[in-house]
């Protein structure tokens, strides 16, 4: 009996680590998309490619970036510094895209989807032309924890979940406790009034988009050593799950991302461990469909509605 | 099974494809005359299969360019028509139609995945197009005008699975990509396990877009097999190897898909593919002077190429096989070229001699087991020639098929013969 109980504990731990892995992936894939969608009404279907820019920036910095038009390369950087380079490159890339394409698309939901979809294809193709069909991969650092017959990689199952929770906390502070946060929220809520109060709304849009891009770049940088193959078509693996999580989570960035990633990650881990990966994916999508049938505005949309009803009753 | 009755209809259709009139005159080759002979090359240089497809495209071009430099075939230069199908099966279908109807190609090389092959097969059949499919695949395609010259699952897995069982023990765990190639390959491993009394302690089919293998790895650890048989496919599934390394899961892996196609031993840092054993018919590292020369020629032509994969090699030799057949036939007429190929062809290539089996359109390949060590260096264990026995000796109640005598457009599956084992 005690042997059985121990085996059960080990199994439980394995499922817990699977959940954390899945949760971190959902949070990190989603958060940049959620900020741009939640605050600017733009669905950025090139979000996967923004993440990919972060992956490529990190991998190229880590392995040594080739110098254009010269048969030489810069020396490779240590992984943490390479990750910072990856994030910075994505921010610069995001700002350029915002100034040239996205700023014409604010609050034009369908137009923004079509334009960013095309942008995603262009970026993937440019990466292919510039860097070939694949880059050398980076091994996942940090080793693993062993328990009973199982092991779990520390980087994916412990480090990334911790980073994703810290990141959500930092974003909460940024939007509630800083001047930038207040101005950004004011711009989103009512740009006319914000402008009348002296807020440079144009600048706020750029900065918010840069923040969203930076978060995509961070996701790319963090997954560069946990992604296996680095090929130009890998942006798509992030987009579908991020898109589902944003729709399920609803317009509130932090609570929405947290609740959607928690819920979807939970069902994914439980069903996957019982019935395999295919069933896990199906379960996640079924949960999303059922939730959207019951809560058409997502989880946070529903929470907001309840809150407003209560206020009206008082 | 769609048996057809006469070669008369076949040549009529071929003629119709060449604007019809030529069939009456009985000389489709002459019809192509205006533009000269042309071949279609549809290999993915973008999209999901670009990594493997680019190498195939490069090798096909190399062979055709070499032939043109030597004066072409039958004194005519070969036109190469090679748009990028972008790993998109619908685009493959459109391009195949175009190549056959508008460009009137004399032979076609096309496609990486089995799903692609199946997407264009009806078009190939409608027009009796001579078609070389060169990827290693699940096997079983018996089709009048199709030459699947890559090694089959029976050959690749038949080389590596017995080796694994001999070396490591009888308990195995199967992980495979969840589509026709993966499912049928898993069936083959099950058939071999039954024939050899190995124990399949677990089996899992994984969707092609899955990238998180934590539960798969936990399931394997719990089942504790002596070795894993992996038929994972594509860039997403490569995550498995990296996560296996991060989890220190040192169980050796036998595979038909890794190393020889996506050169993971070069793209990944050690120890990602340590102790991966692949059943292969060719790898760039195969030792020997002839191969060294081939590798050098290839990189001279494509100095930015990543790797010469097994499929690329198949493309290369099958172009030469086609050239020899055309020259022997004395015409580009596809039916006559097929008849020459069906006499059986031996080819002495950079990695040794191989043979086309006329009855089944498949190759007898010289198989090896490639092993990646903890430094990702590759060594080989020679297995020897493995014949395409499934179609020749196992299907049709053990009678086998002979495409020279019967007209078929079917794909046999392991379940057709070993249904009772696989239930």
């Amino acid at each position: 009996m005690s042997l059985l109980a121990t085996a059960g504990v080990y199994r439980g731990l394995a499922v817990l680590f699977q959940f954390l892995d899945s949760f971190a992936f959902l949070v990190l894939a989603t958060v940049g998309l959620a900020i741009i969608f939640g605050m600017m009404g733009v669905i950025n279907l090139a979000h996967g490619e923004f993440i990919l820019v972060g992956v490529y920036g990190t991998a190229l910095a880590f392995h040594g970036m080739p110098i254009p038009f010269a048969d030489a390369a810069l020396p490779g950087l240590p992984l943490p510094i390479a990750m910072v380079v990856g994030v910075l490159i994505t921010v610069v890339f995001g700002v350029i895209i915002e100034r040239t394409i996205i700023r014409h698309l604010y609050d034009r939901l369908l137009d923004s989807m079509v334009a960013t979809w095309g942008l995603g294809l262009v970026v993937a193709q440019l990466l292919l032309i510039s860097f070939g069909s694949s880059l050398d991969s980076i091994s996942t650092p940090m080793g693993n924890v062993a328990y009973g017959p199982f092991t779990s990689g520390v980087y994916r199952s412990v480090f990334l979940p911790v980073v994703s929770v810290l990141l959500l906390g930092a974003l909460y502070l940024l939007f509630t406790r800083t001047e930038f946060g207040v101005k950004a929220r004011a711009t989103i809520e009512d740009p006319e009034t914000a402008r009348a109060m002296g807020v440079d709304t144009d600048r706020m849009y750029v900065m918010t988009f840069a923040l969203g891009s930076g978060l995509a770049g961070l996701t790319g940088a963090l997954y560069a050593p946990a992604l296996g193959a680095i090929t130009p078509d890998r942006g798509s693996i992030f987009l579908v799950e991020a898109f589902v999580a944003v729709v399920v989570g609803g317009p509130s960035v932090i609570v929405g991302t947290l609740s959607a990633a928690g819920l979807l990650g939970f069902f994914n881990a439980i069903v996957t461990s019982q019935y395999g990966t295919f069933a896990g994916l199906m379960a996640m999508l079924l949960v999303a469909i059922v939730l959207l049938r019951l809560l058409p505005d997502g989880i946070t949309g529903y929470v907001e509605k309840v809150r407003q009803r209560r206020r009206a009753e008082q | 099974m769609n048996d057809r009755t006469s070669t008369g209809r076949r040549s009529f259709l071929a003629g119709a494809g060449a604007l019809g009139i030529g069939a009456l005159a009985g000389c489709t080759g002459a019809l192509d005359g205006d533009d000269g002979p042309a071949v279609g090359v549809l290999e993915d240089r973008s999209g999901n299969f670009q990594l493997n497809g680019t190498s195939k495209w490069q090798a096909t071009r190399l062979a055709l360019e070499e032939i043109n430099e030597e004066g072409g075939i039958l004194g005519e230069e070969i036109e190469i028509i090679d748009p990028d199908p972008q790993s998109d099966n619908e685009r493959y279908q459109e391009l195949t139609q175009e190549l056959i109807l508008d460009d009137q190609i004399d032979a076609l090389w096309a496609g990486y995945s089995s799903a692609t092959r199946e997407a264009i097969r009806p078009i190939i059949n409608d027009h009796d197009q001579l078609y070389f499919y060169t990827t290693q695949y699940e096997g079983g395609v018996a089709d009048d005008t199709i030459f699947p010259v890559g090694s089959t699952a029976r050959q690749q897995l038949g080389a590596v699975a017995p080796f694994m069982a001999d070396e490591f023990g009888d308990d195995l765990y199967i992980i495979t990509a969840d589509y026709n190639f993966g499912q049928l390959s898993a069936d083959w491993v099950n058939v071999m396990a039954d024939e050899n009394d190995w124990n399949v302690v677990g089996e899992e089919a994984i969707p092609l877009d899955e990238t998180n293998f934590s539960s798969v790895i936990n399931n394997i650890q719990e089942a504790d097999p002596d070795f894993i048989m992996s038929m994972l496919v594509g860039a997403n599934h490569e995550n498995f190897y990296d996560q296996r390394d991060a989890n220190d899961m040192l169980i050796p892996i036998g595979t038909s898909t890794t190393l020889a196609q996506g050169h993971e031993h070069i793209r990944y840092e050690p120890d990602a593919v340590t102790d991966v054993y692949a059943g292969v018919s060719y790898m760039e590292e195969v030792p020997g002077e002839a191969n060294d020369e081939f590798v050098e020629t290839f990189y001279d032509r494509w100095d930015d190429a990543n790797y010469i994969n097994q499929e690329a090699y198949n493309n290369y030799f099958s172009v030469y096989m086609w050239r020899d057949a055309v020259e022997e036939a004395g015409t580009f007429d596809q039916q006559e070229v097929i008849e020459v190929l069906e006499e059986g062809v031996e080819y002495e290539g950079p990695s040794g001699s191989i043979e086309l089996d006329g009855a089944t359109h498949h190759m007898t390949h010289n198989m090896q087991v490639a092993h990646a060590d903890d430094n990702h260096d590759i060594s080989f264990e020679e297995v020897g020639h493995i014949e395409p026995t499934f179609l020749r000796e196992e299907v049709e109640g053990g009678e086998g098929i002979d495409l020279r005598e019967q007209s078929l457009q079917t794909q046999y599956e392991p379940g057709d013969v070993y249904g009772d084992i696989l239930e």
Side-chain angles (χ1 to χ4, degrees):
Chain A
M1 186 63 201
S2 74
L3 255 181
L4 268 181
T6 322
V9 170
Y10 289 148
R11 232 314 148 193
L13 269 177
V15 176
L16 174 69
F17 283 124
Q18 282 162 31
F19 162 72
L20 290 172
D21 186 338
S22 188
F23 170 81
F25 186 84
L26 281 162
V27 167
L28 290 169
T30 309
V31 69
L33 187 73
I35 283 190
I36 292 170
F37 169 63
M39 306 198 67
M40 304 163 113
V42 168
I43 292 193
N44 178 17
L45 288 184
H47 182 65
E49 280 68 31
F50 275 64
I51 293 176
L52 203 57
V53 170
V55 171
Y56 267 72
T58 307
L60 287 167
F62 179 75
H63 290 301
M65 204 155 322
I67 303 166
F69 311 113
D71 193 17
L74 296 171
L77 301 170
L79 187 57
I81 300 173
M83 285 176 165
V84 175
V85 173
V87 175
L88 292 177
I89 288 175
T90 320
V91 172
V92 172
F93 171 76
V95 170
I96 294 170
I97 295 297
E98 200 275 346
R99 288 288 83 185
T100 50
I101 300 172
I102 306 287
R103 71 193 180 103
H104 305 293
L105 300 169
Y106 288 131
D107 287 321
R108 291 165 63 189
L109 195 67
L110 292 178
D111 299 350
S112 71
M113 286 173 80
V114 174
T116 51
W117 175 256
L119 174 67
L121 294 177
V122 171
V123 172
Q125 199 61 29
L126 282 177
L127 288 174
L128 173 66
I129 292 166
S130 312
F131 303 108
S133 53
S134 84
L135 290 188
D136 287 348
S137 75
I138 307 171
S139 319
T140 311
M142 294 187 185
N144 60 76
V145 280
Y147 46 98
F150 303 113
T151 56
S152 289
V154 173
Y155 186 79
R156 286 182 68 119
S157 300
V158 181
F159 177 71
L160 291 182
V162 169
V163 170
S164 50
V165 171
L166 289 178
L167 185 67
L168 289 177
L171 283 176
Y172 176 77
L173 294 178
L174 179 72
F175 281 114
T176 55
R177 305 284 157 83
T178 66
E179 197 188 324
F180 164 78
V182 174
K183 283 183 179 171
R185 284 190 297 147
T187 305
I188 305 315
E189 289 271 325
D190 188 346
E192 301 270 312
T193 312
R195 261 198 297 277
M197 301 287 286
V199 177
D200 182 350
T201 50
D202 203 36
R203 191 160 155 259
M204 291 324 292
Y205 279 131
V206 182
M207 288 179 72
T208 312
F209 198 83
L211 176 68
S213 312
L215 290 170
L218 179 66
T219 304
L222 289 169
Y223 273 97
L227 198 63
I230 301 177
T231 58
D233 58 335
R234 305 224 72 199
S236 58
I237 66 167
F238 294 95
L239 183 69
V240 177
E241 294 192 34
F243 194 69
V244 170
V246 165
V247 176
V248 168
S252 166
V253 175
I254 292 151
V255 185
T257 306
L258 193 64
S259 55
L263 201 69
L264 297 174
F266 173 77
F267 279 101
N268 186 23
I270 293 283
V271 177
T272 299
S273 77
Q274 281 299 313
Y275 303 105
T277 42
F278 176 71
L281 276 178
M282 290 298 290
M284 208 161 80
L285 291 176
L286 274 178
V287 169
I289 291 167
V290 170
L291 265 178
L292 286 178
R293 180 74 188 81
L294 299 175
L295 317 172
D297 297 323
I299 299 171
T300 56
Y302 175 74
V303 172
E304 190 55 32
K305 218 181 267 173
V306 171
R307 205 185 284 163
Q308 278 175 1
R309 207 179 299 151
R310 275 214 196 120
R311 256 185 231 151
E313 281 167 7
Q314 274 167 4
Chain B
M1 220 182 299
N2 299 315
D3 286 17
R4 288 178 313 143
T5 45
S6 72
T7 48
R9 184 175 163 224
R10 203 190 286 175
S11 42
F12 174 74
L13 281 171
L19 291 179
I21 312 156
L24 296 171
C27 54
T28 49
L31 250 188
D32 296 341
D34 284 347
D35 302 326
V39 299
V41 182
L42 299 179
E43 302 291 6
D44 306 309
R45 279 166 280 153
S46 56
N48 195 24
F49 298 124
Q50 56 175 307
L51 184 76
N52 298 332
T54 305
S55 178
K56 297 180 75 180
W57 170 73
Q58 290 166 330
T60 325
R61 277 210 72 108
L62 173 64
L64 289 162
E65 286 167 7
E66 283 175 351
I67 288 169
N68 277 340
E69 270 167 33
E70 286 169 15
I73 306 177
L74 301 178
E76 296 206 65
E77 186 169 331
I78 310 300
E79 187 191 354
I80 308 166
I81 308 169
D82 57 351
D84 178 8
Q86 300 171 352
S87 310
D88 176 342
N89 286 346
E90 272 178 38
R91 197 168 153 74
Y92 262 106
Q93 291 173 324
E94 286 160 20
L95 291 172
T96 305
Q97 295 258 24
E98 265 175 40
L99 288 174
I100 295 174
L101 295 175
D102 299 344
D103 301 310
Q104 296 168 25
I105 49 166
D106 298 289
L108 174 70
W109 280 260
Y112 172 71
S113 79
S114 288
T116 298
R117 182 197 67 239
E118 290 307 300
I120 61 169
R121 199 148 72 92
I123 303 166
I124 302 290
N125 289 336
D126 281 350
H127 299 283
D128 281 335
Q129 174 62 47
L130 168 57
Y131 166 39
F132 293 91
Y133 176 65
T134 62
T135 310
Q136 64 97 0
Y137 84 115
E138 69 277 6
V141 170
D143 202 311
D144 298 326
T145 62
I146 300 181
F147 287 79
V149 295
S151 47
T152 64
R154 188 73 157 151
Q155 290 168 304
Q156 301 230 148
L157 298 168
V160 69
F163 176 88
M164 299 300 286
D166 279 352
E167 288 281 313
F168 303 108
D170 290 346
D171 292 348
L172 73 148
Y173 196 105
I174 302 171
I175 46 175
T176 186
D178 198 4
Y179 75 112
N180 56 349
F181 164 78
Q183 290 150 355
L184 296 178
S185 295
D187 282 353
W188 276 121
V189 178
N190 275 301
V191 168
M192 287 176 204
D194 185 80
E195 286 171 349
N196 295 288
D197 280 335
W198 307 329
N199 310 313
V200 179
V201 296
E203 183 171 345
E204 201 161 342
I206 295 151
L208 275 170
D209 52 4
E210 182 61 64
T211 58
N212 186 342
F213 288 85
S214 56
S215 79
V216 176
I217 286 170
N218 286 157
N219 290 341
I220 295 172
Q221 287 172 328
E222 201 169 25
D224 193 25
D226 296 320
F227 67 98
I228 298 164
M229 284 305 297
S230 158
M231 282 75 68
L232 298 177
V233 174
N236 292 340
H237 281 184
E238 285 178 16
N239 263 23
F240 169 74
Y241 292 98
D242 194 51
Q243 289 175 37
R244 159 190 183 252
D245 180 35
N247 278 277
D248 265 344
M249 193 176 72
L250 301 172
I251 303 165
I253 298 179
T255 178
S256 62
T257 51
T258 310
L259 302 185
Q261 299 187 70
H263 58 286
E264 288 81 0
H265 55 296
I266 295 172
R267 290 164 43 227
Y268 280 72
E269 285 180 49
D271 297 320
V273 294
T274 298
D275 283 340
V276 169
Y277 295 79
V280 299
S281 58
Y282 177 81
M283 278 181 81
E284 187 181 291
E285 292 86 352
V286 166
E289 235 170 77
N291 188 44
D292 291 347
E293 215 171 281
F294 170 62
V295 172
E296 201 183 317
T297 312
F298 184 89
Y299 284 105
D300 277 348
R301 170 65 182 88
W302 305 102
D303 56 2
D304 60 344
N306 292 319
Y307 191 70
I308 310 168
N309 64 18
Q310 182 175 246
E311 279 61 40
Y313 181 72
N314 294 340
N315 280 53
Y316 184 82
F317 81 69
S318 54
V319 167
Y320 275 100
M321 221 166 62
W322 172 71
R323 179 202 60 179
D324 294 348
V326 171
E327 284 186 339
E328 195 179 328
T331 167
F332 287 93
D333 180 273
Q334 299 183 36
Q335 194 47 51
E336 290 186 38
V337 173
I338 288 171
E339 277 163 25
V340 172
L341 288 169
E342 284 182 339
E343 286 166 16
V345 177
E346 203 165 316
Y347 176 77
E348 188 64 38
S351 85
S353 72
I354 43 182
E355 204 178 318
L356 177 72
D357 178 46
T360 63
H361 293 189
H362 284 63
M363 303 287 298
T364 295
H365 278 285
N366 187 19
M367 300 302 298
Q368 324 221 21
V369 175
H371 172 223
D373 66 16
D374 50 14
N375 204 23
H376 282 191
D377 290 331
I378 301 290
S379 56
F380 295 94
E381 189 83 29
E382 181 96 29
V383 176
H385 286 83
I386 300 186
E387 296 180 8
T389 54
F390 179 50
L391 285 178
R392 203 159 67 184
E393 294 166 12
E394 295 166 47
V395 298
E396 298 295 337
E399 298 280 303
I401 54 137
D402 190 338
L403 287 163
R404 295 168 296 199
E405 286 164 13
Q406 54 196 140
S407 177
L408 294 171
Q409 292 178 341
T410 189
Q411 180 172 17
Y412 291 93
E413 297 181 357
D416 298 336
V417 177
Y418 301 100
D420 47 333
I421 293 171
L422 297 170
E423 265 165 21

